[in-house]
Amino acid sequence: MSVIVTESPISEKDMIAQAEKALSDISAVRDGVGRVIFGQESVVERTLVALLAGGHALLVGVPGLAKTKLVETLGIVLGLDTRRVQFTPDLMPSDILGSEVMEQDENGRRSFRFIPGPIFAQLLMADEVNRASPRTQSALLQSMQEYHVTVAGQRYDLPAPFHVLATQNPLEQEGTYPLPEAQLDRFLMQIDILYPDMEAERRILLETTGTSEVRAANILTPERLREIQTLIRRMPVPETVVDAILKLVRSARPGQGDAETDRDVAWGPGPRASQALTLCARARALYDGRLAPSVDDVKALAEPVLQHRMALTFAARAEGMSVRDVVARLAKAV
């Protein structure tokens, strides 16, 4: 079976040794998060996959589903410097990026000093990102893409690793500024958070309303996380998986010979979706204890990777169809 390797090759023995150590570390991370976040296994998996792949994620769910708790827990377990910004309509770009202030020394000499904003963190929670004005959203999303900020003509690099987990409330849209499609594309995945099942909610009730509460413990370091992220980019990808990714993404675009897509989809995902699927499939394989991704990984990740990168026609929406319906049909055909 032919494979594709995108990084400089290393020996098979070294690759297996590194992967086995990463498997052990990721298993410990899963257990550490699971002690604090009950149920929501799919959400935890997808969020960790996004971080292991080195990207950002958009968490969509109604209030009270532990989105903030999840981000805080991941920050502690992964050893990342974590900060949270509550987005509001009056939030300015300088409130996130930082600003220059004028100082005067004992000799009366004046100079400007840059005071970094909360974006200078390794894990930033952008809470209700669609409540901020487009200007502030653009400042954040440009930093997510460029990994640096520019203030008064001076460049300031963001810490590494740098990840943004943004949240949105899917119910209340009054007074919000929906993210433009080009900016949504910068999120590796959109992760929908649903209500927990009964057993998970029972455990939440019993373990979070007493006098003591389980707290997360640190397991990884930022340096170790970056090593795992580099390893994921070195993982071989079978040719069958590459073909499945290309078939899936291209079939989601109008004008590619799929009659149902031409009828239902107004515009589809670009090449960045293929890149995201490739990275996330590798990360999911390692998260699941495997050394190479499979077509099943592509199918499992189709919805979170594609749903925010495509839009339906008016006729499809009028019929009550959703993007998830289209993605599920396309993934089934892979």
Side-chain angles (χ1 to χ4, degrees), residues 62-250:
V62 300
L65 295 183
K67 296 187 293 293
T68 302
K69 187 72 171 178
L70 173 62
V71 178
E72 290 176 351
T73 301
L74 288 172
I76 294 171
V77 171
L78 299 175
L80 302 177
D81 174 26
T82 306
R83 300 184 190 181
R84 175 175 179 252
V85 176
Q86 180 68 50
F87 278 58
T88 57
D90 60 347
L91 194 72
M92 298 297 292
S94 59
D95 296 329
I96 301 172
L97 307 183
S99 59
E100 287 195 323
V101 297
M102 181 178 288
E103 293 185 330
Q104 182 172 311
D105 62 18
E106 61 275 7
N107 299 320
R109 196 175 314 163
R110 295 179 179 177
S111 61
F112 285 98
R113 180 170 67 90
F114 176 67
I115 298 180
I119 200 170
F120 285 85
Q122 293 169 324
L123 180 62
L124 176 69
M125 180 178 186
D127 209 357
E128 294 192 283
V129 66
N130 56 330
R131 290 203 174 278
S133 68
R135 182 181 177 188
T136 303
Q137 290 177 5
S138 297
L140 170 68
L141 294 163
Q142 182 179 1
S143 303
M144 290 166 52
Q145 182 71 19
E146 306 295 337
Y147 293 93
H148 70 262
V149 302
T150 303
V151 178
Q154 182 67 39
R155 169 175 168 157
Y156 300 93
D157 290 330
L158 295 172
F162 172 69
H163 302 282
V164 173
L165 295 179
T167 71
Q168 281 191 172
N169 178 356
L171 300 179
E172 187 178 352
Q173 300 301 319
E174 184 177 352
T176 63
Y177 303 86
L179 295 174
E181 289 77 10
Q183 295 181 356
L184 280 172
D185 196 35
R186 296 178 185 179
F187 288 98
L188 201 64
M189 287 197 281
Q190 175 182 316
I191 303 168
D192 294 334
I193 304 180
L194 307 177
Y195 294 110
D197 59 37
M198 181 176 287
E199 287 308 311
E201 192 161 1
R202 181 190 302 276
R203 189 178 173 194
I204 291 170
L205 290 177
L206 296 176
E207 301 208 19
T208 62
T209 58
T211 56
S212 62
E213 188 174 343
V214 177
R215 297 187 180 276
N218 174 239
I219 293 171
L220 289 191
T221 64
E223 293 74 23
R224 179 57 185 150
L225 176 60
R226 294 194 71 192
E227 290 175 1
I228 295 175
Q229 290 172 345
T230 300
L231 173 66
I232 286 171
R233 286 182 170 267
R234 291 178 178 269
M235 287 176 64
V237 183
E239 191 72 38
T240 53
V241 175
V242 175
D243 290 341
I245 290 171
L246 290 173
K247 179 181 178 182
L248 174 62
V249 174
R250 294 183 67 83

Side-chain angles (χ1 to χ4, degrees), residues 46 184-185 187-191 244-253 265 267-278 280 298-312 323-324 326-331 334:
R46 291 175 175 181
L184 280 172
D185 196 35
F187 288 98
L188 201 64
M189 287 197 281
Q190 175 182 316
I191 303 168
I245 290 171
L246 290 173
K247 179 181 178 182
L248 174 62
V249 174
R250 294 183 67 83
S251 65
R253 301 170 185 162
V265 178
W267 54 268
R272 192 175 290 168
S274 304
Q275 295 172 322
L277 267 173
T278 305
C280 291
V298 178
K299 293 181 178 182
L301 294 167
E303 180 184 302
V305 171
L306 296 183
Q307 65 175 328
H308 61 297
R309 291 184 163 100
M310 52 194 298
L312 300 183
V323 172
R324 295 183 192 88
V326 176
V327 173
R329 174 182 66 80
L330 296 173
V334 171

